């Protein structure tokens, strides 16, 4: 059975770095399923790798294949994020995939594939970092942007507290968290889990 390893975590938890490390690990051979977004591309982001960057008008042709769609009212306007079924799991070949998103998008994507009879195909990887460390990391990252968006940083920080609340994590059956303080140790745990899951399906 195909497996989708789904990375999620609060902003500045390091989930993007972990995602990229897993994506580039040839021993894992994970295919990626990028999300779509209408938000502006950040410095260093690559089209089709980090996200598919689209306009509001380009959402309509995707309507029949949208798994979930989230809208965020930012101080820069409404930014949308979409998960789109591009048919990756419909073929006969068994591949293992990597995705990144929010707890909400994880839950909706999981429910979508379960409705198609693909139970237990999505494996959650929840990245955790203490809030004070996260906030400092977020500030350091934003300062490197050509046009820092500090108000948006604050909005996301507060929204994460609600989105990844203990109650929501429990409701989503997220029982394991990977603390990203010592990066190498965190990656070691995650890769060991992924290899174990892959071995079970072979």
């Amino acid at each position: 059975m195909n497996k989708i390893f789904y990375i999620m975590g609060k902003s500045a938890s390091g989930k993007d770095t972990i995602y990229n490390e897993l994506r580039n690990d040839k021993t894992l051979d994970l295919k990626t399923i990028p999300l779509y977004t209408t938000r502006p591309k950040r410095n260093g982001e690559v089209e089709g790798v980090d996200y598919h960057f689209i306009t509001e008008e380009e959402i309509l042709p995707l309507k029949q294949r949208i798994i979930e769609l989230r809208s965020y009212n930012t101080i820069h306007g409404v930014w949308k994020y979409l998960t789109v079924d591009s048919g990756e799991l419909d073929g006969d070949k068994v591949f293992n995939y990597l995705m990144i998103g929010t707890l909400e998008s994880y839950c909706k994507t999981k429910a979508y594939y379960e409705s198609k009879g693909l139970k237990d195909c999505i494996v959650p990887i929840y990245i955790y970092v203490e809030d004070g460390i996260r906030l400092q990391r977020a500030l350091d990252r934003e300062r490197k942007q050509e046009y820092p968006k500090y108000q948006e940083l604050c909005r996301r920080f507060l929204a994460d507290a609600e989105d990844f609340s203990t109650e929501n994590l429990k409701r989503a059956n997220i029982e394991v968290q990977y603390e990203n303080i010592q990066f190498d140790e965190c990656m070691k745990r995650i890769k060991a889990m992924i290899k174990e899951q892959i071995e079970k399906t072979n």
Side-chain angles (χ1 to χ4, degrees), residues 6-16 18-19 51 70 72 99-106 124-129 131 134 141 156-157 159-161 163-165 169 174 176-178 180:
Y6 204 103
I7 307 286
M8 69 191 105
K10 296 176 181 178
S11 58
S13 61
K15 60 183 181 296
D16 293 299
I18 289 171
Y19 174 84
Y51 289 94
R70 287 158 284 124
Y72 297 97
M99 290 187 73
I100 187 169
T102 65
L103 180 62
E104 179 186 0
S105 65
Y106 160 77
I125 302 176
Y126 173 54
I127 311 302
Y128 171 77
V129 174
D131 282 350
R134 254 191 343 104
R141 181 178 69 184
R156 289 184 63 192
F157 189 86
D160 281 340
D163 294 343
F164 287 92
S165 67
L169 289 169
I174 304 296
V176 178
Q177 63 184 29
Y178 297 87
N180 185 21

Side-chain angles (χ1 to χ4, degrees), residues 38-51:
T38 61
R39 78 154 168 77
K41 188 191 304 181
R42 293 180 184 146
N43 293 345
E45 289 184 325
V46 179
E47 162 61 33
V49 176
D50 298 288
Y51 289 94

